[in-house]
Amino acid sequence: RPTYDAYCGTGYESMARLAAGNPELWRDILISNREAVCRVIDVFEQTCRKLRNALIQNDLDTVTCFLENAKKAV
């Protein structure tokens, strides 16, 4: 099993632990919360599109703002 510790941030271990969870349990959690999960996915997609467009357009101000906001959210 390869190790990615040198390349990953501090959240990798937590995300890997969640990903290794029981698929049926996570399926039930997602289905039970489908409306909220879908809303969050919509916001995530919009955010990714905005960041992608800023990168394509070499819009340094928008990329910097995105990173500053991400840092505040931690």
Side-chain angles (χ1 to χ4, degrees):
R1 175 177 161 188
T3 178
Y4 300 101
D5 295 345
Y7 308 105
C8 298
T10 57
Y12 176 75
E13 188 174 313
S14 295
M15 292 301 294
R17 180 180 51 79
L18 289 173
N22 181 309
E24 288 80 17
L25 172 69
W26 283 108
R27 177 203 59 210
D28 293 346
I29 291 170
L30 291 171
I31 294 298
S32 295
N33 296 284
R34 75 172 54 114
E35 290 179 19
V37 171
C38 287
R39 283 194 303 271
V40 171
I41 290 171
D42 289 342
V43 171
F44 180 70
E45 288 177 333
Q46 289 175 333
T47 302
C48 288
R49 269 194 298 281
K50 288 177 185 176
L51 178 58
R52 181 181 186 280
N53 290 337
L55 291 169
I56 289 170
Q57 297 168 7
N58 200 35
D59 182 348
L60 301 179
D61 291 337
T62 299
V63 173
T64 301
C65 183
F66 175 85
L67 294 170
E68 288 171 350
N69 288 336
K71 186 175 180 180
K72 290 176 191 175
V74 175

